Amino acid sequence: VQLQASGGGLVQAGGSLRLSCVVSPVSGRTVGRYTMGWFRQAPGKEREFVGAINWTGSNTYYGDRVRGRATVSRDNAKNTVSLQMDSLKEEDTALYYCAADGGYGSSQSVDYDYWGRGTLVTVSS
């Protein structure tokens, strides 16, 4: 699949942001069969797991640093996956990526098969 994330921008601390990822199927495989994940990478830091959702949308899980502030959702009919981030902090500043996993889902970036180019989120104080 091909992935394109959008929705990043500059937001004040305490605010909210909603990121979207458009998933384009290729090779005859439907979008709905992938677990979709969100990761982020701040300058000089390793890529970090944010959250993921299974292909039916029935199960979501989140990284420790965003749990309670992040919500991942998907609309397979529209081939989109979203990440809602609330109560944003300066440390949430990063390049956010969506990724697709043809397996059962994981918090490990190495398990994901396809990646989008990322969208930048900057949180100011």
Side-chain angles (χ1 to χ4, degrees):
V1 294
Q2 295 178 342
L3 310 176
Q4 179 63 55
S6 63
L10 177 64
V11 62
Q12 286 192 327
S16 298
L17 204 63
R18 187 176 183 87
L19 306 181
S20 294
C21 178
V22 176
V23 189
S24 301
V26 296
S27 302
R29 192 166 186 178
T30 61
V31 168
R33 295 290 179 179
Y34 290 98
T35 290
M36 299 300 299
W38 286 94
F39 291 79
R40 66 186 183 184
Q41 189 165 19
K45 296 189 177 181
E46 293 187 353
R47 191 165 292 185
E48 176 188 14
F49 173 70
V50 177
I53 187 168
N54 70 339
W55 70 275
T56 64
S58 62
N59 187 37
T60 55
Y61 46 103
Y62 300 95
D64 290 341
R65 295 215 297 155
V66 302
R67 189 174 293 114
R69 301 188 296 118
T71 304
V72 180
S73 60
R74 69 190 297 164
D75 184 340
N76 289 341
K78 296 182 179 180
N79 294 345
T80 59
V81 180
S82 298
L83 170 65
Q84 175 74 31
M85 289 284 294
D86 300 316
S87 302
L88 284 162
K89 307 174 182 180
E90 288 185 72
E91 53 261 43
D92 293 320
T93 294
L95 194 59
Y96 283 71
Y97 299 88
C98 61
D101 174 12
Y104 293 101
S106 167
S107 62
Q108 304 299 311
S109 60
V110 294
D111 292 330
Y112 286 77
D113 305 305
Y114 304 97
W115 292 81
R117 293 183 63 181
T119 184
L120 181 62
V121 173
T122 304
V123 183
S124 64
S125 59

